[in-house]
Amino acid sequence: MKYFVFLSTSQRREQKQHIKEQSHSMESKKRAMALLMLDESNGKKPLPIKDIADQLDLSKRSIIRYRKRFTMSGDNLSSTLNRKSKAIEYR
């Protein structure tokens, strides 16, 4: 199944602001850049995944995972940009 990224104007603005802020990690900024590059709103065709991965120095699998996570989260940006918490069981 292919997942599609359609960002609203406010989501695109939020992504660009996220990239500019110093307080976010580089990983988080790369996720934001990947989503902007995957955006298909306004009839735009996104860059191929391989090109996005090469430009951001990420794996193709990571790009596919970000796209899927964004779509499956109901277009929730924060769940896509923030690192997935690991279930660690302490004894």
Side-chain angles (χ1 to χ4, degrees), residues 11-53:
Q11 287 174 321
R12 275 193 299 280
R13 192 177 319 115
E14 188 178 333
Q15 296 289 71
K16 290 175 184 177
Q17 185 63 35
H18 183 86
I19 293 166
K20 289 179 185 178
E21 291 178 5
Q22 298 287 327
S23 61
H24 299 291
S25 69
M26 185 52 79
E27 276 184 35
S28 177
K29 290 179 181 185
K30 284 184 178 184
R31 289 185 202 111
M33 287 186 261
L35 285 178
L36 284 171
M37 292 176 171
L38 289 166
D39 182 22
E40 296 186 48
S41 59
N42 300 324
K44 293 189 316 188
K45 186 165 178 111
L47 289 172
I49 290 176
K50 182 181 179 350
D51 292 349
I52 296 171

Side-chain angles (χ1 to χ4, degrees), residues 2-84:
K2 185 171 178 185
Y3 299 95
F4 300 95
V5 175
F6 294 98
L7 296 173
S8 68
T9 305
S10 63
Q11 287 174 321
R12 275 193 299 280
R13 192 177 319 115
E14 188 178 333
Q15 296 289 71
K16 290 175 184 177
Q17 185 63 35
H18 183 86
I19 293 166
K20 289 179 185 178
E21 291 178 5
Q22 298 287 327
S23 61
H24 299 291
S25 69
M26 185 52 79
E27 276 184 35
S28 177
K29 290 179 181 185
K30 284 184 178 184
R31 289 185 202 111
M33 287 186 261
L35 285 178
L36 284 171
M37 292 176 171
L38 289 166
D39 182 22
E40 296 186 48
S41 59
N42 300 324
K44 293 189 316 188
K45 186 165 178 111
L47 289 172
I49 290 176
K50 182 181 179 350
D51 292 349
I52 296 171
D54 290 343
Q55 286 183 25
L56 298 177
D57 196 29
L58 296 167
S59 68
K60 291 189 302 185
R61 183 71 197 128
S62 291
I63 303 299
I64 292 167
R65 194 171 32 247
Y66 300 153
R67 181 176 62 186
K68 180 180 178 182
R69 191 182 312 162
F70 177 74
T71 306
M72 297 298 285
S73 71
D75 299 345
N76 185 342
L77 287 174
S78 63
S79 68
T80 306
L81 296 180
N82 298 323
R83 190 174 181 135
K84 203 173 180 181

